[in-house]
């Protein structure tokens, strides 16, 4: 047993080392065409203005005599993460510091998941899950960009890890930490904002009656303590009105196939071709009214898009809006296809992408099938159902909004845990059923 545990830790160290080395080599050998563009500009200058003027604002001024006016279009999580690194003039040294910090978070996900989940899932399946995590080209590529994906991925891994540790120890302090981590995740990307309403009830119904209210209250309290300062700041500051990202994502997601009037030339950018886009953008009621109108006119097409097309698009391999394949923004040079280790891991990951995705989806459903769930130990079932709920939550959110594959990158660790835990689950149930059949046969023979 002692040797077995140490072999697992040794293999884990090798996986983490491989992940760190290949990610660093990729980042140093890959040149992004325009390092700061689109979202990245907003994040960077929000951090810069906060550092130099004490104001959270994404505005770029050639010469600022007075501090820029505050805004709240982008949540502050990623800008606070890059805050120690930002500077002008922009140099490669500044950008490299951010990239290395992102690589460190990506690699840290590997031991964090392994040790937090080890008491619930056998080592072999965890090692397979973190190996898939280590070779994922998507989770390698995001480290070269100045976007929130790396940090957001880490926040979701932290949520799953704290949840797993709470199931083991039932310490109330971990409830507080879980709520706070969900808040941090929502401050990085608003997609996590309603995750609390899925996790808190799950914990409530899987806790002894004596502690139910206390557990739920602490999770909510942890969320409020971390998230409320952002809300208070936005209410007290003189913030200029800006477009709503929530409105944008719901409206952009209403076009079947992400095309305007089924025109392939508009693929990925249907909003740019819709003459009524800006008229609806500021009013969610107008957007929802348009969605309802579209459903009433062609219900079959829109049901297929929302229930089937969106999940498939969201979980797919290639970036829809971007350079394509695993790249979000265009790169001038990369070693992804030329470096032997990166190329092999890229190919393996691509071959396994849909089988693992389907396995994760099947696992999420099987966990709620009584004939299977009753054969799983209570702690393991509770944990896996929680992970399945988180996985399902993100699919549902992007069924309502824009299902860009880029947005599914941060849930890859959750997907891999479900996929390989699902293999363990199915094998275990299958083995137990075979054993029962064999024993019944022996008894009948007697």
């Amino acid at each position: 047993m002692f040797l077995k545990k140490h072999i697992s830790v040794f293999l884990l160290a090798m996986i983490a080392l491989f992940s760190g080395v290949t990610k660093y080599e990729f980042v140093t050998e890959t040149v992004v065409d325009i390092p700061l563009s689109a979202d990245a500009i907003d994040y960077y200058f929000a951090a810069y203005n906060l550092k130099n003027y004490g104001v959270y604002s994404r505005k770029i001024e050639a010469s600022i005599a007075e501090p820029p006016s505050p805004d709240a279009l982008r949540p502050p999580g990623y800008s606070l993460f890059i805050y120690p690194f930002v500077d002008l003039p922009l140099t490669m040294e500044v950008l490299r510091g951010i990239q290395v910090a992102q690589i460190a978070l990506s690699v840290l996900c590997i031991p964090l998941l392994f040790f937090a989940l080890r008491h619930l899932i056998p080592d072999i399946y965890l090692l397979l899950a973190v190996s898939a995590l280590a070779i994922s080209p998507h989770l390698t590529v995001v480290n070269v960009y100045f976007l929130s994906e790396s940090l957001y991925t880490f926040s979701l891994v932290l949520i799953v890890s704290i949840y797993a540790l709470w199931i083991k120890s039932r310490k109330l302090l971990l409830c507080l930490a879980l709520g706070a981590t969900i808040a941090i995740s929502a401050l990085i990307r608003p997609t996590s904002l309603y995750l609390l309403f899925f996790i808190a009830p799950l914990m409530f119904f899987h806790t002894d009656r004596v502690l139910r209210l206390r557990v739920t209250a602490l999770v909510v309290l942890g969320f409020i303590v971390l998230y409320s300062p952002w809300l208070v700041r936005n209410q007290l500051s003189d913030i200029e009105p800006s477009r709503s990202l929530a409105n944008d994502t719901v409206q952009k997601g209403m076009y079947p196939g992400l095309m305007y009037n089924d025109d392939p030339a508009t693929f990925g950018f249907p909003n740019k071709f819709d003459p009524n886009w800006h008229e609806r953008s500021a009013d969610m009621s107008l957007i929802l009214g348009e969605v309802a109108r579209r459903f009433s006119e062609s219900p079959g097409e829109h049901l297929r898009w929302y229930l089937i097309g969106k999940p498939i698009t969201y979980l797919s391999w290639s970036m829809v809006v971007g350079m394509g394949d695993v790249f979000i923004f265009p790169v001038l040079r990369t070693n992804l296809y030329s470096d032997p280790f990166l190329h092999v891991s890229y190919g393996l990951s691509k071959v396994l992408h849909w089988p693992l995705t389907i396995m994760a989806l099947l696992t999420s459903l099987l966990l709620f099938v009584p004939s299977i769930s009753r054969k799983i130990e209570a702690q393991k079932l509770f944990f896996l159902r929680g992970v399945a709920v988180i996985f399902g939550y993100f699919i549902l959110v992007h069924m309502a909004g824009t299902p860009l594959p880029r947005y599914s990158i941060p849930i890859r660790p959750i997907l891999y845990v479900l996929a390989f835990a699902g293999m363990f689950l199915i094998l275990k149930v299958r083995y137990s059923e075979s054993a029962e059949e064999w024993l019944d046969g022996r008894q009948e023979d007697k």
Side-chain angles (χ1 to χ4, degrees):
M1 191 68 175
F2 176 82
L3 185 59
K4 183 180 176 182
K5 285 185 176 181
H6 280 71
I7 289 173
S8 295
V9 173
F10 173 77
L11 291 174
L12 177 73
M14 292 298 99
I15 293 166
L17 180 63
F18 170 84
S19 178
V21 169
T22 53
K23 282 175 171 57
Y24 184 77
E25 287 181 353
F26 170 81
V27 162
T28 55
E29 294 295 325
T30 299
V31 178
V32 180
D33 185 14
I34 306 174
L36 292 185
S37 60
D39 303 4
I41 295 176
D42 291 348
Y43 290 132
Y44 192 89
F45 280 93
Y48 179 82
N49 289 330
L50 185 63
K51 189 173 187 176
N52 289 277
Y53 303 101
V55 178
Y56 186 78
S57 172
R58 71 188 193 284
K59 294 186 177 178
I60 307 169
E61 302 288 350
S63 176
I64 301 179
E66 296 181 2
S69 56
D71 65 36
L73 178 68
R74 304 286 177 192
Y78 185 71
S79 294
L80 291 173
F81 171 69
I82 64 174
Y83 176 93
F85 305 97
V86 296
D87 200 3
L88 287 179
L90 193 63
T91 64
M92 195 60 241
E93 184 179 359
V94 170
L95 296 180
R96 185 72 76 224
I98 297 172
Q99 290 171 334
V100 170
Q102 291 181 160
I103 290 170
L105 287 184
S106 292
V107 175
L108 188 56
C109 287
I110 293 171
L112 186 60
L113 266 182
F114 181 84
F115 288 112
L117 277 57
R118 200 178 187 187
H119 63 286
L120 296 167
I121 300 171
D123 284 4
I124 180 62
Y125 297 100
L126 276 179
L127 288 171
L128 288 171
V130 297
S131 295
L133 190 62
I135 69 171
S136 170
H138 294 91
L139 292 169
T140 295
V141 168
V142 291
N143 294 306
V144 81
Y145 298 120
F146 305 98
L147 299 169
S148 62
E149 270 74 9
S150 293
L151 183 62
Y152 193 54
T153 302
F154 180 77
S155 75
L156 298 185
V157 167
L158 198 57
I159 287 170
V160 170
S161 299
I162 293 173
Y163 177 69
L165 292 172
W166 174 76
I167 288 173
K168 179 184 180 181
S169 67
R170 298 290 173 147
K171 291 183 178 178
L172 294 177
L173 189 61
L174 287 172
C175 298
L176 202 64
L178 181 59
T181 308
I182 295 171
I184 291 169
S185 182
L187 289 169
I188 298 166
R189 188 176 285 180
T191 312
S192 296
L193 193 55
Y194 302 105
L195 184 58
L196 179 73
F197 299 106
F198 286 72
I199 292 181
L202 191 72
M203 295 173 70
F204 178 86
F205 289 111
H206 284 80
T207 304
D208 294 337
R209 290 183 180 181
V210 178
L211 294 174
R212 277 180 177 177
L213 289 177
R214 197 180 303 177
V215 163
T216 309
L218 284 172
V219 174
V220 174
L221 178 63
F223 181 89
I224 291 172
V225 168
L226 263 290
Y227 197 80
S228 58
W230 172 243
L231 296 179
V232 171
R233 174 260 183 191
N234 293 341
Q235 289 296 318
L236 298 180
S237 302
D238 184 20
I239 296 174
E240 295 180 7
S242 59
R243 77 182 196 274
S244 167
L245 293 179
N247 288 10
D248 284 356
T249 190
V250 172
Q251 185 171 201
K252 192 172 181 180
M254 74 183 182
Y255 305 95
L258 294 177
M259 294 182 288
Y260 180 67
N261 290 340
D262 296 323
D263 182 358
T266 68
F267 178 65
F269 301 94
N271 52 303
K272 292 185 178 180
F273 298 87
D274 187 342
N276 299 314
W277 167 272
H278 293 291
E279 180 185 340
R280 293 189 299 261
S281 290
D283 191 338
M284 181 62 87
S285 63
L286 290 178
I287 295 169
L288 295 177
E290 176 64 13
V291 172
R293 184 190 69 79
R294 287 166 172 263
F295 264 92
S296 65
E297 288 186 354
S298 51
E301 180 187 13
H302 283 81
L303 277 173
R304 282 193 300 273
W305 169 236
Y306 273 79
L307 298 180
I308 301 173
K310 280 195 175 188
I312 290 174
T313 303
Y314 173 62
L315 295 169
S316 60
W317 174 272
S318 187
M319 300 298 103
V320 170
V321 178
M323 181 177 171
D325 197 9
V326 297
F327 293 97
I328 299 172
F329 296 149
V331 296
L332 300 175
R333 187 187 75 222
T334 182
N335 65 341
L336 182 64
Y337 308 113
S338 58
D339 181 272
F341 291 106
L342 283 171
H343 185 61
V344 170
S345 60
Y346 164 87
L348 181 59
S349 188
K350 189 171 185 178
V351 167
L352 292 174
H353 174 70
W354 277 115
L356 291 179
T357 300
I358 292 168
M359 181 61 76
L361 291 167
L362 284 174
T363 300
S364 300
L365 296 174
L366 290 172
L367 289 168
F368 296 91
V369 175
S371 61
I372 292 176
S373 61
R374 67 168 176 260
K375 296 179 181 179
I376 305 171
E377 186 184 329
Q379 275 195 346
K380 293 176 182 177
L381 179 64
F382 180 23
F383 168 73
L384 290 172
R385 279 182 172 176
V387 177
V389 165
I390 295 171
F391 186 57
Y393 166 81
F394 283 97
I395 293 173
L396 287 172
V397 166
H398 290 92
M399 284 170 67
T402 308
L404 298 183
R406 167 187 166 185
Y407 299 149
S408 71
I409 294 173
I411 68 165
R412 296 295 165 85
I414 295 170
L415 187 154
Y416 297 143
V417 167
L418 277 173
F420 287 104
M423 291 181 189
F424 165 64
L425 171 72
I426 291 167
L427 288 171
K428 183 178 180 181
V429 170
R430 179 61 185 162
Y431 173 79
S432 63
E433 287 177 348
S434 299
E436 287 174 6
E437 290 172 2
W438 182 78
L439 286 171
D440 290 340
R442 292 273 302 204
Q443 289 175 354
E444 288 175 4
D445 292 340
K446 289 180 179 180

